[in-house]
Amino acid sequence: MSAFAERLLAWFDASGRHDLPWQHPRTPYRVWVAEIMLQQTQVQTAIPYYTRFLDALPSLPALAAAELDRVLALWSGLGYYARARNLHRAARICVERHGGELPRDIDALQALPGIGRSTAGAILAQAHGLRFAILDGNVKRSLARYHGIRGWPGSGPVEKRLWELSESHLPQTRLADYTQAVMDFGATVCTRSDPACVLCPLQDDCVARREGLVDRLPEPKPGKPLPERRTIMLVLRDGDGRLLLTRRPPTGIWACLWSLPEVADHDQARHWLARHCDADYDHAEPLPVFEHVFSHFRLHIEPMLLHVTQTRTAVGDNPDLRWQPLAALDELGLPAPVRKLLGSLA
């Protein structure tokens, strides 16, 4: 066992996290759902969503049998909704091709939607004790500092080197504990900012600490300003207080979620209303403009509130456009900023 793994396991035994919900029991399905949630979400944020998700869909066949709207509603608020859609698709593939179970073969596991090399390794190591490495953001940061690896970890050559190092430190036993240990270590000790170097079990051999590079490694991705976009969201309420929602396209931002009708400008808003509703756009009530930041652009949202007296025949309870009671929004998957906006209307 390498000194890296030996010290991390000793630290984990004393200071690691041993009471996470996916650890008891540590089944492939439970580990898989947790790993997908944790791809873009911190542990403490994910736990209540994870608990709710597992209570509603306790097994892979249950997830596969659920409607996508149900899955997205349970996921609503976590963001990065492609994770939920891929989870649902992968569950259905497992039912069709793998007897309702996640495959134990690394290649078959990676072939499922939303499961990359690191996630597959985490599932196999934690659920089956198999000897596979992981390389999530926490592990990249820890290895870059410990070994003094320069460059942005997302670049091809640097990532390749980090994978080699991650595999070189794998112990022969206790793979589930080691995998949790290396993730916990990066999340709680070797953090992005203000790492606890004085408490670090690896401090004696850490290149970054020895050479004064802790605040410089790993090196950040070369940055550029986020492009900015604007949209108008139509907040339409009928005489019963219901809201008109539209399903987003199956690809792109917020794919398959329910949201408010969007238009690019005021002329398009008038045209959309003329086709769907009896409502005078010139009497719309502007609500406060707010901003939502995606990983690749910044969106400025201008909500316009209108009261609708009558709708056209194109509007109904159908697959793409429906009236939804304000009190029943939890039944549908909604983008977090839209849910927050509509919650302010209650």
Side-chain angles (χ1 to χ4, degrees):
M1 185 183 299
S2 73
F4 182 93
E6 183 176 8
R7 292 171 188 169
L8 272 189
L9 281 168
W11 169 85
F12 175 74
D13 289 340
S15 305
R17 295 184 283 204
H18 302 272
D19 58 352
L20 297 172
W22 45 90
Q23 294 175 319
H24 310 288
R26 199 183 255 147
T27 67
Y29 175 69
R30 293 171 64 85
V31 170
W32 172 43
V33 174
E35 288 300 318
I36 299 301
M37 284 192 174
L38 294 173
Q39 284 175 357
Q40 302 287 348
T41 308
Q42 293 183 346
V43 167
Q44 292 308 312
T45 301
I47 284 176
Y49 289 94
Y50 178 86
T51 301
R52 182 178 68 173
F53 196 96
L54 266 290
D55 285 344
L57 304 172
S59 67
L60 190 151
L63 171 59
E67 294 296 326
L68 179 58
D69 273 342
R70 176 64 171 148
V71 176
L72 293 174
L74 291 167
W75 200 273
S76 186
L78 270 175
Y80 298 93
Y81 291 93
R83 296 180 296 172
R85 295 192 298 274
N86 285 334
L87 199 71
H88 189 240
R89 287 175 53 213
R92 293 193 164 181
I93 292 172
C94 286
V95 168
E96 293 171 2
R97 304 179 189 174
H98 303 295
E101 300 285 347
L102 284 168
R104 290 183 58 152
D105 176 75
I106 185 74
D107 293 328
L109 196 54
Q110 283 185 246
L112 295 173
I115 298 183
R117 179 179 176 183
S118 184
T119 300
I123 294 168
L124 295 175
Q126 292 183 89
H128 300 296
L130 299 180
R131 198 167 179 268
F132 287 99
I134 67 167
L135 195 67
D136 66 3
N138 288 323
V139 178
K140 286 180 178 180
R141 182 170 58 254
S142 302
L143 290 175
R145 286 174 175 165
Y146 183 78
H147 290 282
I149 304 298
R150 302 277 189 160
W152 174 50
S155 68
V158 177
E159 186 172 54
K160 180 181 179 182
R161 177 59 179 149
L162 292 174
W163 268 115
E164 293 170 351
L165 292 169
S166 184
E167 290 179 330
S168 73
H169 289 304
L170 285 173
Q172 295 295 329
T173 60
R174 297 190 64 189
L175 271 304
D177 286 345
Y178 174 77
T179 301
Q180 188 65 57
V182 75
M183 291 189 291
D184 281 0
F185 174 73
T188 63
V189 177
C190 196
T191 52
R192 182 178 288 105
S193 58
D194 196 25
C197 293
V198 294
L199 303 176
C200 176
L202 306 174
Q203 59 179 284
D204 291 343
D205 297 318
C206 178
V207 173
R209 185 172 186 271
R210 184 171 63 242
E211 298 183 4
L213 299 173
V214 172
D215 60 343
R216 300 184 190 179
L217 297 178
E219 294 182 7
K221 180 180 180 178
K224 58 181 179 180
L226 285 177
E228 303 203 6
R229 302 180 191 175
R230 302 190 70 85
T231 190
I232 295 173
M233 286 189 174
L234 302 177
V235 185
L236 304 172
R237 299 186 74 169
D238 69 2
D240 297 322
R242 297 179 304 172
L243 295 157
L244 187 61
L245 300 179
T246 182
R247 189 191 289 276
R248 301 279 300 182
T251 58
I253 296 300
W254 298 329
C256 296
L257 296 182
W258 288 90
S259 186
L260 296 167
E262 282 188 50
V263 291
D265 54 42
H266 299 301
D267 287 339
Q268 283 192 19
R270 292 184 178 90
H271 177 76
W272 195 95
L273 288 171
R275 179 170 178 265
H276 294 93
C277 303
D278 281 340
D280 185 354
Y281 186 71
D282 293 327
H283 288 85
E285 176 188 345
L287 299 177
V289 176
F290 63 99
E291 180 184 277
H292 185 72
V293 180
F294 295 92
S295 59
H296 53 296
F297 72 94
R298 193 184 306 272
L299 181 64
H300 298 273
I301 300 171
E302 183 179 353
M304 302 294 288
L305 176 63
L306 296 102
H307 296 279
V308 178
T309 56
Q310 188 174 352
T311 58
R312 306 281 186 259
T313 56
V315 176
D317 190 358
N318 59 62
D320 298 313
L321 204 60
R322 66 165 60 175
W323 288 103
Q324 186 75 2
L326 191 59
L329 293 179
D330 287 344
E331 296 175 0
L332 302 176
L334 300 173
V338 174
R339 185 178 295 279
K340 183 177 180 180
L341 168 63
L342 297 181
S344 69
L345 302 177

